[in-house]
Amino acid sequence: MSRRKGAAAAGGAGPMAMAAMEEEAAELRRGPWTLEEDNLLMSYIACHGEGRWNLLARCSGLKRTGKSCRLRWLNYLKPDIKRGNLTAEEQLVILELHAKWGNRWSRIAQHLPGRTDNEIKNYWRTRVQKQARQLKVDANSAVFRDAVRCYWMPRLLDKMSMAAASTAVPPPLLEQKQNCHGVMSSSHSQQSPAICGDQLGCYPAASFDPSPSASTSGSTAAAALQPAPVPCFSELNWEDQYYYPGGGDLDGGGAGGLELDSAALLGSLGLDGLDLGPAESYIPDATLLDYLNYSSCTANAMNMMTTNGGNYYNNIYCGGDAMVDGDHHDPTTATTCHAARKLAGEWGGGI
DNA sequence: AAATCCGACAACCGCATCGGA
DNA sequence: TTCCGATGCGGTTGTCGGATT
């Protein structure tokens, strides 16, 4: 029942009833719950069960609204509430389900046992939306979704892999990564940009990380835990390192092939003015294949997250075959992914 | 050491929906 | 069918504590 409705109802009541209501309203406590209140609420629920919150509020001796009691119980006191930071897996689920359902917090929470809708909502607002604000893009925009898919999610997967590797089982993931790098380095010409393994994971080490430990307040500790400093995209000199002569030819077939108008694409994304450098600097085959190989290093983690196995990466993280199939580049996806990285590199530290 | 800033999260508010009388 | 209380949901605010200046 809303305040307005309550006020309207009070307007129709007699003076005695009015006085009683005002007295009751004046008695109602607000703000943080005390230990005594928590104990009272818990013992009442232990005796009578959940539900009928207004009755509970009246009968328990708590000077709170039923609503307040319900919220306190569901968000804090309920025994199966999971406390502590969200794991990388949980963050991935949130990102994935939010992309699917939007701000359906309670629905998302149903897929995260022990987590409340309030907690998930707070996570989204304090961490995810903060990133969008810093990018000056809408959190629901295409480019931000791409940033999440191409940058943030792989980083979370990487974290999961690292965690798994630290608790299990040879060969360690880092070794696999190095192997990936070795294979790729030998299979491409010298001109190929050596973006693989850790370098492809070079989402700015502490700047594109939604995890609580990587927030400003925890950034020192998080940095201390980083195995090695990794260059940010903003630190890489795209123009010098990855420039290929030959214009915007994306299909490798020379003149007449697929040409990318990055400026137009970015304009359509509302990112005009963002200088991505030459298209071929970020969509050469080697880069994409390296990226794919890099992703295969985290296949175990991905399989944990999806019923669709390896296709998950292709379809979700990089827009289908576009990013990974050397013969069928999708300039739109590639550009937005690159834009996301580029922007992410400019986000600076402290996230 | 004090002031200020900022992130995290608990709590509140308004609105929508549901179900029973 | 209508009314009304209960409940659920999502947006927003308030408070606290740690980090920074």
Side-chain angles (χ1 to χ4, degrees):
Chain A
M1 181 64 65
S2 73
R3 269 183 174 178
R4 278 206 298 268
K5 285 176 187 171
M16 294 285 282
M18 281 282 286
M21 289 170 72
E22 279 168 13
E23 191 179 332
E24 190 183 347
E27 275 181 8
L28 281 177
R29 272 186 49 78
R30 291 178 55 188
W33 282 63
T34 64
L35 193 59
E36 290 74 24
E37 287 178 309
D38 282 347
N39 288 334
L40 211 50
L41 180 56
M42 283 190 292
S43 60
Y44 187 92
I45 288 175
C47 290
H48 301 91
E50 296 181 46
R52 301 201 290 175
W53 297 105
N54 286 345
L55 182 68
L56 179 154
R58 282 197 300 273
C59 301
S60 64
L62 287 162
K63 295 177 174 14
R64 299 273 182 173
T65 65
K67 236 177 167 176
S68 180
C69 295
R70 172 183 168 271
L71 214 59
R72 182 66 178 173
W73 174 254
L74 291 178
N75 285 343
Y76 199 81
L77 296 176
K78 207 173 176 182
D80 56 0
I81 297 284
K82 205 189 281 180
R83 321 295 309 178
N85 292 337
L86 292 163
T87 65
E89 289 92 333
E90 289 172 322
Q91 292 174 53
L92 261 175
V93 170
I94 293 171
L95 294 174
E96 186 59 35
L97 294 183
H98 187 274
K100 205 168 161 187
W101 295 328
N103 297 356
R104 303 293 305 277
W105 307 119
S106 63
R107 191 170 176 187
I108 294 171
Q110 287 167 10
H111 291 74
L112 293 164
R115 300 297 186 181
T116 68
D117 55 349
N118 208 33
E119 193 173 8
I120 294 165
K121 183 171 55 181
N122 282 332
Y123 167 77
W124 187 265
R125 292 189 63 82
T126 57
R127 307 222 173 77
V128 182
Q129 285 200 329
K130 188 182 78 177
Q131 312 289 345
R133 274 198 305 275
Q134 290 181 354
L135 284 172
K136 295 183 169 63
V137 298
D138 189 85
N140 295 316
S141 65
V143 71
F144 186 73
R145 280 199 298 271
D146 276 338
V148 168
R149 285 179 191 146
C150 298
Y151 221 74
W152 194 332
M153 285 179 162
R155 179 161 177 75
L156 288 171
L157 286 168
D158 204 26
K159 270 192 160 184
M160 290 160 57
S161 301
M162 297 284 274
S166 71
T167 54
V169 196
L173 183 71
L174 273 175
E175 223 176 274
Q176 294 178 35
K177 272 188 177 178
Q178 283 159 5
N179 291 340
C180 280
H181 191 281
V183 168
M184 295 312 300
S185 297
S186 62
S187 64
H188 293 281
S189 74
Q190 265 192 322
Q191 275 190 315
S192 301
I195 305 178
C196 183
D198 288 339
Q199 253 189 297
L200 267 172
C202 81
Y203 14 75
S207 66
F208 200 86
D209 191 337
S211 67
S213 63
S215 65
T216 300
S217 58
S219 57
T220 311
L225 290 171
Q226 293 291 337
V230 196
C232 300
F233 269 79
S234 58
E235 292 166 355
L236 300 173
N237 189 334
W238 286 85
E239 308 291 337
D240 293 339
Q241 263 187 286
Y242 304 126
Y243 181 78
Y244 285 85
D249 190 7
L250 296 172
D251 59 3
L258 181 58
E259 303 287 332
L260 169 63
D261 184 350
S262 294
L265 269 171
L266 289 173
S268 74
L269 293 169
L271 288 171
D272 10 22
L274 177 63
D275 179 16
L276 296 181
E280 57 284 354
S281 71
Y282 51 89
I283 331 179
D285 289 357
T287 302
L288 304 176
L289 291 170
D290 283 356
Y291 200 8
L292 177 58
N293 269 1
Y294 170 70
S295 78
S296 72
C297 295
T298 59
N300 286 342
M302 286 175 207
N303 285 333
M304 282 195 283
M305 296 305 302
T306 175
T307 55
N308 199 21
N311 289 332
Y312 189 69
Y313 182 84
N314 292 358
N315 294 332
I316 302 300
Y317 291 150
C318 275
D321 62 358
M323 282 293 286
V324 296
D325 179 342
D327 293 323
H328 298 94
H329 296 319
D330 175 352
T332 306
T333 308
T335 300
T336 50
C337 283
H338 177 64
R341 289 183 189 171
K342 181 105 178 175
L343 284 166
E346 292 164 358
W347 287 1
I351 295 168

